[in-house]
Amino acid sequence: MILSWWGLPVAIGTLANFPRLSQRADASVWAVVFAWMATGCLLNARRCHRVHCFISGPVLLLGAAFAALSASGVIEPAAGMFSNIINGTLLLALLAFVPEMVWKRYA
């Protein structure tokens, strides 16, 4: 289950970088990947009330929105900025586990 909601999308997003797609095509892939992962987090937050799900769901939605705006041409980020936003989104989603370690696991 974890592999289908988070592992597979990250692998797809990472593999999309290897064929040297255009930034818009790459952004399209990441928009779908982040939306998929956000859906999993938000469904999990609703079902089990894990603290990290309440944090990572909105973070991933923001990443999906940025990638979708970039893919559609509404915003034109610099080449390095796009990868920084993608990496930052993934890092923030990963750091969402820290509050569970410090305080409590369930909201």
Side-chain angles (χ1 to χ4, degrees):
M1 184 69 151
I2 290 174
L3 182 65
S4 65
W5 279 109
W6 295 279
L8 185 61
V10 169
I12 290 169
T14 303
L15 290 174
N17 293 327
F18 291 116
R20 301 278 184 196
L21 300 174
S22 69
Q23 185 169 323
R24 283 191 172 180
D26 198 26
S28 298
V29 170
W30 279 106
V32 171
V33 164
F34 283 152
W36 179 265
M37 291 168 48
T39 301
C41 287
L42 294 172
L43 288 174
N44 212 23
R46 185 174 182 213
R47 182 181 61 82
C48 72
H49 302 285
R50 291 280 305 260
V51 170
H52 80 268
C53 295
F54 284 107
I55 298 168
S56 60
V59 165
L60 291 166
L61 276 179
L62 285 173
F66 170 79
L69 289 172
S70 181
S72 65
V74 173
I75 57 173
E76 293 286 335
M81 183 182 150
F82 180 76
S83 62
N84 287 341
I85 297 291
I86 297 303
N87 292 334
T89 301
L90 292 170
L91 180 64
L92 286 173
L94 186 61
L95 288 174
F97 285 95
V98 172
E100 288 188 354
M101 293 181 232
V102 175
W103 293 297
K104 59 183 180 176
R105 181 174 266 190
Y106 296 97

XYZ file of all heavy atoms in Angstrom:
811
model
N 0.827 -1.190 0.000
C 0.000 0.000 0.000
C 0.867 1.248 0.000
O 0.622 2.167 -0.753
C -0.926 -0.042 1.220
C -1.885 1.092 1.251
S -3.091 0.933 -0.047
C -4.443 1.738 0.671
N 1.866 1.290 0.858
C 2.751 2.446 0.924
C 3.467 2.644 -0.402
O 3.607 3.768 -0.876
C 3.773 2.283 2.072
C 3.057 2.398 3.408
C 4.881 3.309 1.976
C 3.927 2.118 4.599
N 3.877 1.557 -1.025
C 4.591 1.649 -2.286
C 3.734 2.290 -3.369
O 4.206 3.126 -4.129
C 5.050 0.255 -2.729
C 5.858 0.216 -4.017
C 7.181 0.943 -3.824
C 6.110 -1.211 -4.437
N 2.443 1.952 -3.420
C 1.591 2.493 -4.479
C 1.247 3.963 -4.267
O 1.064 4.707 -5.229
C 0.306 1.668 -4.593
O -0.472 1.782 -3.424
N 1.166 4.419 -3.014
C 0.800 5.814 -2.768
C 1.986 6.747 -2.782
O 1.857 7.922 -3.119
C 0.057 5.955 -1.436
C -1.386 5.588 -1.545
C -1.979 4.478 -1.016
C -2.420 6.301 -2.225
N -3.310 4.459 -1.337
C -3.614 5.575 -2.074
C -2.457 7.484 -2.958
C -4.815 5.982 -2.617
C -3.658 7.895 -3.506
C -4.814 7.146 -3.329
N 3.163 6.278 -2.351
C 4.303 7.188 -2.235
C 5.546 6.703 -2.963
O 6.226 7.498 -3.594
C 4.619 7.455 -0.758
C 3.484 8.179 -0.117
C 3.236 9.525 -0.180
C 2.428 7.618 0.638
N 2.076 9.813 0.488
C 1.559 8.668 1.014
C 2.104 6.325 1.048
C 0.413 8.468 1.758
C 0.964 6.132 1.797
C 0.137 7.194 2.151
N 5.882 5.438 -2.887
C 7.097 4.936 -3.522
C 7.054 4.990 -5.037
O 7.975 5.499 -5.680
N 5.985 4.488 -5.620
C 5.849 4.485 -7.072
C 5.799 5.898 -7.650
O 6.494 6.182 -8.632
C 4.612 3.676 -7.475
C 4.383 3.478 -8.963
C 5.537 2.721 -9.589
C 3.078 2.726 -9.182
N 5.029 6.822 -7.076
C 5.035 8.180 -7.630
C 6.405 8.859 -7.569
O 6.799 9.541 -8.513
C 4.020 8.931 -6.769
C 3.129 7.887 -6.225
C 3.991 6.676 -6.049
N 7.132 8.685 -6.482
C 8.470 9.284 -6.394
C 9.390 8.662 -7.443
O 10.174 9.363 -8.086
C 9.051 9.151 -4.970
C 10.517 9.527 -4.930
C 8.263 10.008 -3.999
N 9.276 7.360 -7.632
C 10.088 6.695 -8.659
C 9.738 7.216 -10.055
O 10.630 7.476 -10.874
C 9.883 5.181 -8.592
N 8.458 7.394 -10.337
C 8.039 7.915 -11.643
C 8.563 9.336 -11.845
O 9.083 9.676 -12.910
C 6.501 7.864 -11.785
C 6.036 6.419 -11.900
C 6.031 8.684 -12.984
C 4.535 6.239 -11.786
N 8.420 10.175 -10.826
C 8.920 11.545 -10.928
C 10.420 11.592 -11.132
O 10.929 12.382 -11.933
N 11.144 10.735 -10.421
C 12.597 10.698 -10.553
C 13.000 10.185 -11.931
O 13.890 10.745 -12.566
C 13.206 9.809 -9.453
O 12.793 10.317 -8.181
C 14.715 9.794 -9.528
N 12.335 9.143 -12.399
C 12.661 8.593 -13.712
C 12.315 9.552 -14.851
O 12.914 9.488 -15.920
C 11.949 7.257 -13.917
C 12.472 6.105 -13.057
C 11.603 4.866 -13.239
C 13.925 5.789 -13.401
N 11.368 10.450 -14.618
C 11.004 11.429 -15.646
C 12.142 12.407 -15.913
O 12.175 13.065 -16.959
C 9.753 12.184 -15.232
N 13.092 12.516 -14.986
C 14.223 13.418 -15.176
C 15.276 12.870 -16.129
O 16.045 13.627 -16.690
C 14.881 13.739 -13.829
C 13.982 14.554 -12.936
O 13.208 15.369 -13.405
N 14.085 14.329 -11.646
N 15.323 11.562 -16.326
C 16.395 10.967 -17.109
C 16.276 11.163 -18.616
O 17.287 11.356 -19.275
C 16.561 9.488 -16.754
C 17.103 9.305 -15.371
C 16.351 8.694 -14.390
C 18.357 9.778 -15.038
C 16.845 8.535 -13.105
C 18.863 9.631 -13.754
C 18.105 9.001 -12.790
N 15.087 11.117 -19.220
C 15.058 11.312 -20.679
C 15.207 12.768 -21.130
O 15.044 13.083 -22.276
C 13.707 10.751 -21.106
C 12.885 10.658 -19.898
C 13.804 10.663 -18.717
N 15.512 13.671 -20.215
C 15.689 15.091 -20.534
C 14.441 15.680 -21.183
O 14.472 16.210 -22.279
C 16.893 15.310 -21.445
C 18.185 14.841 -20.893
C 18.735 15.863 -19.970
N 20.050 15.417 -19.513
C 20.656 15.919 -18.498
N 20.091 16.883 -17.826
N 21.826 15.468 -18.135
N 13.347 15.562 -20.469
C 12.087 16.150 -20.927
C 12.170 17.665 -20.816
O 12.998 18.207 -20.079
C 10.930 15.646 -20.069
C 10.678 14.147 -20.031
C 9.602 13.821 -19.013
C 10.287 13.646 -21.397
N 11.288 18.343 -21.504
C 11.214 19.790 -21.345
C 10.735 20.097 -19.921
O 10.161 19.241 -19.241
C 10.242 20.392 -22.358
O 8.915 20.018 -22.041
N 10.971 21.317 -19.487
C 10.561 21.680 -18.127
C 9.053 21.562 -17.972
O 8.564 21.157 -16.925
C 11.021 23.098 -17.786
C 10.733 23.465 -16.340
C 11.416 24.742 -15.925
O 12.522 25.020 -16.337
N 10.740 25.520 -15.098
N 8.294 21.898 -19.006
C 6.830 21.778 -18.927
C 6.393 20.326 -18.819
O 5.482 19.997 -18.066
C 6.172 22.448 -20.123
C 6.155 23.931 -19.997
C 5.281 24.532 -21.044
N 5.123 25.946 -20.786
C 4.422 26.750 -21.533
N 3.796 26.279 -22.596
N 4.329 28.016 -21.235
N 7.034 19.444 -19.573
C 6.681 18.017 -19.493
C 7.054 17.463 -18.125
O 6.285 16.703 -17.522
C 7.384 17.240 -20.603
N 8.214 17.839 -17.646
C 8.649 17.403 -16.317
C 7.697 17.922 -15.246
O 7.324 17.204 -14.316
C 10.071 17.908 -16.061
C 10.768 17.165 -14.945
O 10.419 15.999 -14.694
O 11.671 17.758 -14.335
N 7.273 19.177 -15.389
C 6.325 19.760 -14.431
C 4.993 19.030 -14.471
O 4.351 18.845 -13.434
C 6.136 21.245 -14.731
N 4.575 18.608 -15.651
C 3.318 17.853 -15.766
C 3.392 16.544 -15.001
O 2.452 16.163 -14.300
C 2.994 17.566 -17.237
O 2.819 18.744 -17.949
N 4.514 15.851 -15.144
C 4.703 14.590 -14.426
C 4.658 14.838 -12.920
O 3.957 14.139 -12.187
C 6.034 13.921 -14.832
C 6.360 12.746 -13.915
C 5.987 13.480 -16.279
N 5.383 15.863 -12.452
C 5.426 16.133 -11.015
C 4.079 16.611 -10.490
O 3.720 16.327 -9.343
C 6.536 17.122 -10.670
C 7.855 16.439 -10.586
C 8.869 16.504 -11.487
C 8.295 15.535 -9.573
N 9.915 15.712 -11.087
C 9.593 15.112 -9.907
C 7.723 15.049 -8.404
C 10.319 14.224 -9.116
C 8.442 14.161 -7.618
C 9.714 13.755 -7.972
N 3.305 17.327 -11.302
C 1.973 17.763 -10.864
C 1.091 16.550 -10.574
O 0.411 16.491 -9.543
C 1.334 18.660 -11.918
N 1.124 15.576 -11.465
C 0.318 14.359 -11.273
C 0.842 13.561 -10.078
O 0.057 13.082 -9.247
C 0.314 13.503 -12.560
C -0.320 12.147 -12.322
C -0.389 14.241 -13.682
N 2.156 13.430 -9.982
C 2.772 12.671 -8.893
C 2.423 13.289 -7.539
O 2.009 12.595 -6.607
C 4.303 12.593 -9.105
C 5.024 12.178 -7.844
C 4.629 11.648 -10.235
N 2.588 14.611 -7.423
C 2.285 15.274 -6.151
C 0.797 15.216 -5.829
O 0.416 15.057 -4.668
C 2.762 16.724 -6.160
C 4.244 16.881 -5.956
C 4.910 17.972 -6.486
C 4.977 15.967 -5.223
C 6.269 18.144 -6.294
C 6.338 16.120 -5.024
C 6.989 17.212 -5.562
N -0.056 15.365 -6.830
C -1.503 15.272 -6.589
C -1.873 13.872 -6.098
O -2.694 13.720 -5.191
C -2.273 15.634 -7.850
N -1.267 12.849 -6.683
C -1.516 11.465 -6.266
C -1.089 11.260 -4.813
O -1.828 10.699 -4.003
C -0.761 10.513 -7.189
C -0.933 9.082 -6.834
C -0.109 8.313 -6.066
C -2.020 8.238 -7.209
N -0.612 7.039 -5.956
C -1.782 6.969 -6.651
C -3.171 8.433 -7.973
C -2.652 5.910 -6.828
C -4.028 7.364 -8.149
C -3.774 6.129 -7.580
N 0.122 11.738 -4.483
C 0.621 11.569 -3.122
C -0.205 12.380 -2.123
O -0.467 11.921 -1.010
C 2.089 11.960 -3.057
C 2.984 10.990 -3.813
S 4.680 11.524 -4.102
C 5.210 12.086 -2.539
N -0.614 13.589 -2.507
C -1.440 14.419 -1.620
C -2.774 13.744 -1.343
O -3.260 13.770 -0.206
C -1.662 15.791 -2.246
N -3.346 13.126 -2.365
C -4.610 12.412 -2.180
C -4.442 11.294 -1.155
O -5.278 11.133 -0.263
C -5.109 11.840 -3.521
O -5.292 12.919 -4.439
C -6.395 11.073 -3.354
N -3.367 10.543 -1.277
C -3.103 9.476 -0.310
C -2.944 10.009 1.105
O -3.486 9.450 2.055
N -2.222 11.116 1.244
C -2.014 11.708 2.575
C -3.322 12.223 3.162
O -3.600 12.006 4.344
C -1.009 12.848 2.491
S 0.685 12.302 2.246
N -4.100 12.921 2.351
C -5.350 13.481 2.860
C -6.368 12.400 3.196
O -7.088 12.508 4.197
C -5.914 14.491 1.866
C -5.044 15.742 1.682
C -5.573 16.602 0.548
C -4.935 16.530 2.971
N -6.425 11.345 2.395
C -7.304 10.215 2.731
C -6.844 9.540 4.015
O -7.659 9.164 4.861
C -7.342 9.205 1.581
C -8.096 9.629 0.335
C -7.911 8.590 -0.768
C -9.577 9.835 0.636
N -5.538 9.407 4.162
C -4.995 8.800 5.374
C -5.237 9.687 6.586
O -5.524 9.186 7.676
C -3.501 8.527 5.191
C -3.053 7.305 5.940
O -3.836 6.425 6.250
N -1.773 7.266 6.238
N -5.126 10.994 6.425
C -5.394 11.917 7.536
C -6.838 11.793 7.987
O -7.134 11.800 9.187
C -5.095 13.349 7.114
N -7.719 11.664 7.036
C -9.148 11.534 7.357
C -9.444 10.212 8.064
O -10.273 10.138 8.971
C -9.963 11.641 6.076
C -11.427 11.647 6.303
C -12.141 11.905 5.009
N -13.562 11.965 5.264
C -14.474 11.575 4.427
N -14.128 11.117 3.249
N -15.735 11.656 4.730
N -8.741 9.165 7.639
C -9.006 7.830 8.171
C -8.340 7.593 9.523
O -8.981 7.153 10.460
C -8.511 6.780 7.162
C -8.770 5.354 7.568
C -8.238 4.367 6.549
N -6.804 4.443 6.353
C -5.898 3.864 7.139
N -6.284 3.178 8.189
N -4.612 3.972 6.887
N -7.043 7.917 9.617
C -6.327 7.514 10.835
C -5.861 8.686 11.698
O -5.374 8.467 12.800
C -5.128 6.642 10.472
S -3.778 7.543 9.709
N -5.972 9.906 11.196
C -5.634 11.114 11.966
C -4.157 11.214 12.355
O -3.829 11.772 13.392
C -6.504 11.231 13.223
C -7.960 11.263 12.915
N -8.580 12.371 12.395
C -8.913 10.316 13.016
C -9.858 12.107 12.211
N -10.092 10.871 12.578
N -3.261 10.698 11.493
C -1.825 10.851 11.751
C -1.433 12.302 11.543
O -1.856 12.955 10.592
C -1.003 9.975 10.808
C -1.110 8.484 11.036
C -0.263 7.947 12.160
N 1.140 8.249 12.073
C 2.059 7.389 11.633
N 1.706 6.190 11.209
N 3.328 7.735 11.621
N -0.612 12.824 12.427
C -0.191 14.223 12.369
C 0.562 14.517 11.076
O 0.325 15.538 10.423
C 0.672 14.578 13.607
C 1.311 15.935 13.461
C -0.173 14.518 14.869
N 1.468 13.622 10.670
C 2.242 13.909 9.461
C 1.362 13.977 8.217
O 1.679 14.690 7.274
C 3.390 12.909 9.277
C 2.985 11.602 8.705
N 2.632 10.536 9.488
C 2.878 11.188 7.435
C 2.322 9.517 8.714
N 2.458 9.868 7.463
N 0.252 13.276 8.225
C -0.657 13.332 7.073
C -1.337 14.694 6.967
O -1.548 15.202 5.864
C -1.720 12.238 7.177
S -1.053 10.579 7.078
N -1.650 15.283 8.110
C -2.256 16.619 8.112
C -1.274 17.678 7.617
O -1.683 18.720 7.126
C -2.751 16.987 9.517
C -4.015 16.297 9.910
C -3.997 15.272 10.834
C -5.231 16.669 9.360
C -5.167 14.622 11.208
C -6.407 16.041 9.730
C -6.381 15.010 10.653
N 0.015 17.430 7.761
C 1.032 18.380 7.305
C 1.424 18.097 5.860
O 1.446 18.996 5.019
C 2.273 18.321 8.223
C 1.891 18.713 9.646
C 3.385 19.218 7.688
C 2.968 18.422 10.670
N 1.751 16.856 5.555
C 2.265 16.531 4.227
C 1.205 16.624 3.131
O 1.542 16.948 1.985
C 2.911 15.146 4.224
O 1.980 14.154 4.576
N -0.056 16.382 3.444
C -1.111 16.502 2.427
C -1.165 17.889 1.810
O -1.051 18.036 0.582
N -1.314 18.951 2.616
C -1.312 20.305 2.051
C 0.013 20.692 1.393
O 0.025 21.390 0.374
C -1.609 21.198 3.250
C -2.343 20.312 4.203
C -1.737 18.953 4.017
N 1.138 20.237 1.955
C 2.442 20.537 1.347
C 2.506 19.950 -0.064
O 2.936 20.613 -1.014
C 3.590 20.000 2.229
C 4.905 19.956 1.475
C 3.727 20.829 3.486
N 2.075 18.716 -0.201
C 2.096 18.069 -1.508
C 1.096 18.715 -2.471
O 1.365 18.806 -3.679
C 1.829 16.572 -1.365
C 2.961 15.799 -0.688
C 2.496 14.405 -0.283
C 4.182 15.719 -1.582
N -0.035 19.180 -1.953
C -0.985 19.904 -2.808
C -0.375 21.201 -3.325
O -0.575 21.561 -4.492
C -2.273 20.201 -2.047
C -3.313 19.112 -1.994
C -4.524 19.562 -1.175
C -3.755 18.702 -3.388
N 0.353 21.908 -2.471
C 1.024 23.132 -2.920
C 2.080 22.815 -3.979
O 2.227 23.548 -4.962
C 1.662 23.854 -1.738
C 0.702 24.589 -0.816
C 1.444 25.127 0.407
C 0.010 25.717 -1.553
N 2.811 21.739 -3.782
C 3.789 21.314 -4.791
C 3.116 20.968 -6.103
O 3.608 21.312 -7.186
N 1.959 20.299 -6.033
C 1.212 19.956 -7.244
C 0.707 21.209 -7.944
O 0.752 21.310 -9.172
C 0.045 19.032 -6.903
N 0.238 22.179 -7.162
C -0.256 23.431 -7.745
C 0.877 24.183 -8.442
O 0.706 24.676 -9.567
C -0.894 24.300 -6.668
N 2.038 24.266 -7.794
C 3.182 24.931 -8.420
C 3.573 24.229 -9.715
O 3.803 24.877 -10.741
C 4.377 24.966 -7.462
C 5.639 25.412 -8.128
C 5.864 26.752 -8.362
C 6.583 24.488 -8.541
C 7.018 27.171 -8.997
C 7.736 24.893 -9.178
C 7.960 26.236 -9.408
N 3.657 22.905 -9.670
C 4.049 22.153 -10.863
C 3.007 22.312 -11.973
O 3.364 22.453 -13.144
C 4.246 20.679 -10.512
N 1.731 22.318 -11.614
C 0.679 22.479 -12.627
C 0.726 23.875 -13.248
O 0.560 24.026 -14.463
C -0.693 22.223 -12.006
N 0.954 24.891 -12.431
C 1.070 26.250 -12.965
C 2.296 26.377 -13.871
O 2.256 27.044 -14.901
C 1.151 27.265 -11.826
C -0.137 27.482 -11.039
C 0.131 28.361 -9.822
C -1.211 28.100 -11.923
N 3.352 25.714 -13.510
C 4.556 25.717 -14.328
C 4.330 24.952 -15.630
O 4.762 25.382 -16.700
C 5.711 25.102 -13.549
O 6.889 25.113 -14.286
N 3.636 23.824 -15.553
C 3.362 23.021 -16.754
C 2.447 23.750 -17.729
O 2.591 23.624 -18.938
C 2.742 21.684 -16.353
N 1.517 24.523 -17.189
C 0.574 25.229 -18.053
C 1.140 26.538 -18.605
O 0.525 27.174 -19.440
C -0.725 25.510 -17.296
O -0.477 26.406 -16.234
N 2.305 26.936 -18.104
C 2.933 28.153 -18.588
C 2.486 29.413 -17.875
O 2.874 30.508 -18.267
N 1.677 29.287 -16.847
C 1.219 30.460 -16.089
C 2.401 31.117 -15.389
O 2.507 32.343 -15.344
C 0.112 30.068 -15.087
C -0.246 31.230 -14.181
C -1.103 29.565 -15.832
N 3.293 30.307 -14.834
C 4.525 30.834 -14.251
C 5.696 30.210 -14.997
O 5.618 29.078 -15.476
C 4.624 30.565 -12.732
C 4.519 29.073 -12.424
C 3.584 31.330 -11.962
C 4.768 28.737 -10.978
N 6.765 30.950 -15.098
C 7.974 30.479 -15.772
C 9.143 30.539 -14.795
O 9.890 31.515 -14.769
C 8.276 31.353 -16.991
C 7.270 31.255 -18.106
C 7.375 29.959 -18.884
O 8.466 29.354 -18.899
O 6.361 29.548 -19.457
N 9.296 29.501 -13.961
C 10.400 29.535 -12.998
C 11.746 29.351 -13.706
O 11.818 28.738 -14.776
C 10.102 28.359 -12.074
C 9.309 27.418 -12.917
C 8.520 28.279 -13.859
N 12.782 29.884 -13.109
C 14.127 29.651 -13.622
C 14.437 28.155 -13.534
O 13.825 27.428 -12.747
C 15.133 30.455 -12.808
N 15.378 27.707 -14.339
C 15.682 26.273 -14.415
C 16.021 25.684 -13.045
O 15.510 24.647 -12.671
C 16.821 26.033 -15.384
N 16.867 26.326 -12.279
C 17.242 25.806 -10.966
C 16.136 25.925 -9.945
O 16.036 25.117 -9.033
N 15.277 26.930 -10.106
C 14.200 27.142 -9.139
C 13.185 26.001 -9.186
O 12.679 25.580 -8.147
C 13.499 28.467 -9.413
C 12.422 28.806 -8.415
S 11.654 30.358 -8.879
C 10.026 30.088 -8.254
N 12.902 25.494 -10.372
C 11.926 24.416 -10.488
C 12.385 23.189 -9.702
O 11.625 22.623 -8.917
C 11.682 24.053 -11.955
C 10.694 22.948 -12.118
C 9.345 23.184 -11.954
C 11.100 21.660 -12.406
C 8.418 22.152 -12.078
C 10.199 20.633 -12.533
C 8.849 20.887 -12.373
N 13.621 22.779 -9.882
C 14.107 21.599 -9.158
C 14.194 21.873 -7.658
O 13.960 20.966 -6.856
C 15.458 21.136 -9.705
O 16.433 22.128 -9.534
N 14.492 23.113 -7.275
C 14.511 23.447 -5.847
C 13.120 23.327 -5.231
O 12.982 22.860 -4.097
C 15.062 24.856 -5.630
C 16.550 24.938 -5.855
O 17.247 23.935 -5.828
N 17.037 26.141 -6.093
N 12.091 23.761 -5.947
C 10.719 23.645 -5.441
C 10.323 22.174 -5.319
O 9.716 21.765 -4.321
C 9.723 24.407 -6.342
C 10.026 25.900 -6.339
C 8.289 24.121 -5.943
C 9.736 26.607 -5.033
N 10.658 21.367 -6.308
C 10.336 19.929 -6.259
C 11.043 19.282 -5.071
O 10.425 18.575 -4.272
C 10.737 19.234 -7.577
C 9.950 19.802 -8.754
C 10.558 17.720 -7.474
C 8.459 19.730 -8.632
N 12.341 19.533 -4.944
C 13.101 18.951 -3.828
C 12.614 19.487 -2.486
O 12.545 18.739 -1.505
C 14.590 19.227 -4.006
C 15.179 18.486 -5.179
O 14.683 17.446 -5.584
N 16.238 19.034 -5.753
N 12.272 20.766 -2.433
C 11.752 21.345 -1.196
C 10.423 20.742 -0.786
O 10.185 20.487 0.400
N 9.568 20.484 -1.762
C 8.276 19.856 -1.473
C 8.488 18.460 -0.892
O 7.859 18.091 0.107
C 7.416 19.778 -2.745
O 7.206 21.101 -3.247
C 6.087 19.110 -2.477
N 9.377 17.698 -1.517
C 9.656 16.353 -1.013
C 10.285 16.399 0.381
O 9.937 15.588 1.248
C 10.570 15.607 -1.986
C 9.944 15.252 -3.331
C 11.003 14.729 -4.295
C 8.825 14.242 -3.162
N 11.184 17.345 0.595
C 11.823 17.473 1.906
C 10.817 17.864 2.988
O 10.814 17.290 4.082
C 12.962 18.492 1.845
C 13.715 18.711 3.149
C 14.426 17.433 3.584
C 14.710 19.840 2.998
N 9.950 18.819 2.691
C 8.939 19.222 3.676
C 7.978 18.072 3.989
O 7.573 17.892 5.138
C 8.162 20.437 3.181
C 8.913 21.762 3.234
C 8.095 22.858 2.561
C 9.236 22.131 4.661
N 7.617 17.301 2.968
C 6.748 16.144 3.212
C 7.451 15.126 4.109
O 6.827 14.518 4.980
C 6.336 15.508 1.885
N 8.736 14.955 3.907
C 9.500 14.037 4.752
C 9.652 14.583 6.169
O 9.531 13.849 7.154
C 10.867 13.779 4.130
C 11.739 12.736 4.787
C 11.053 11.374 4.759
C 13.074 12.660 4.102
N 9.871 15.887 6.287
C 10.016 16.507 7.608
C 8.701 16.535 8.391
O 8.710 16.816 9.591
C 10.569 17.925 7.473
C 12.040 18.022 7.089
C 12.427 19.481 6.846
C 12.921 17.409 8.156
N 7.599 16.236 7.732
C 6.308 16.189 8.423
C 6.277 15.088 9.483
O 5.405 15.101 10.352
C 5.178 15.985 7.410
N 7.217 14.161 9.434
C 7.288 13.113 10.457
C 7.900 13.613 11.759
O 7.720 12.995 12.803
C 8.097 11.915 9.936
C 7.357 11.083 8.945
C 7.510 11.301 7.584
C 6.496 10.088 9.363
C 6.834 10.539 6.663
C 5.808 9.313 8.445
C 5.975 9.541 7.086
N 8.628 14.715 11.724
C 9.315 15.215 12.917
C 8.341 15.548 14.050
O 8.594 15.164 15.195
C 10.227 16.408 12.568
C 10.787 17.062 13.821
C 11.347 15.946 11.646
N 7.231 16.265 13.796
C 6.312 16.545 14.907
C 5.793 15.286 15.603
O 5.552 15.299 16.803
C 5.171 17.315 14.256
C 5.780 17.935 13.052
C 6.817 16.949 12.578
N 5.660 14.194 14.855
C 5.227 12.943 15.477
C 6.281 12.407 16.435
O 5.958 11.803 17.437
C 4.916 11.891 14.413
C 3.664 12.169 13.647
C 3.298 11.009 12.745
O 4.068 10.040 12.626
O 2.207 11.080 12.165
N 7.543 12.619 16.094
C 8.614 12.153 16.965
C 8.747 13.016 18.209
O 9.121 12.534 19.268
C 9.936 12.146 16.193
C 9.998 11.140 15.087
S 11.610 11.228 14.292
C 11.113 11.385 12.595
N 8.440 14.291 18.071
C 8.605 15.231 19.167
C 7.387 15.238 20.090
O 7.533 15.211 21.308
C 8.889 16.658 18.640
C 8.937 17.659 19.761
C 10.176 16.670 17.827
N 6.184 15.284 19.514
C 4.984 15.410 20.338
C 4.185 14.111 20.368
O 4.419 13.281 21.215
C 4.118 16.566 19.844
C 4.780 17.892 20.060
C 5.120 18.450 21.250
C 5.236 18.780 19.058
N 5.754 19.646 21.052
C 5.817 19.885 19.714
C 5.198 18.781 17.656
C 6.362 20.947 19.016
C 5.728 19.853 16.978
C 6.308 20.911 17.667
N 3.264 13.992 19.463
C 2.435 12.784 19.460
C 2.147 12.361 18.032
O 2.270 13.136 17.092
C 1.125 13.031 20.214
C 0.284 14.160 19.635
C -0.955 14.393 20.455
C -1.762 15.532 19.848
N -3.007 15.751 20.510
N 1.755 11.118 17.867
C 1.549 10.545 16.551
C 0.169 10.841 15.973
O 0.027 10.986 14.770
C 1.754 9.039 16.635
C 1.583 8.331 15.328
C 1.936 6.897 15.445
N 3.338 6.782 15.055
C 3.957 5.647 14.848
N 3.321 4.524 15.012
N 5.211 5.630 14.489
N -0.843 10.929 16.787
C -2.208 11.089 16.302
C -2.795 12.418 16.776
O -2.567 12.845 17.900
C -3.100 9.950 16.783
C -2.650 8.625 16.225
C -1.833 7.767 16.964
C -2.998 8.239 14.937
C -1.405 6.566 16.453
C -2.572 7.047 14.408
C -1.773 6.211 15.169
O -1.333 5.019 14.646
N -3.568 13.048 15.900
C -4.217 14.323 16.232
C -5.510 14.083 16.967
O -6.158 13.107 16.835
C -4.481 15.114 14.962
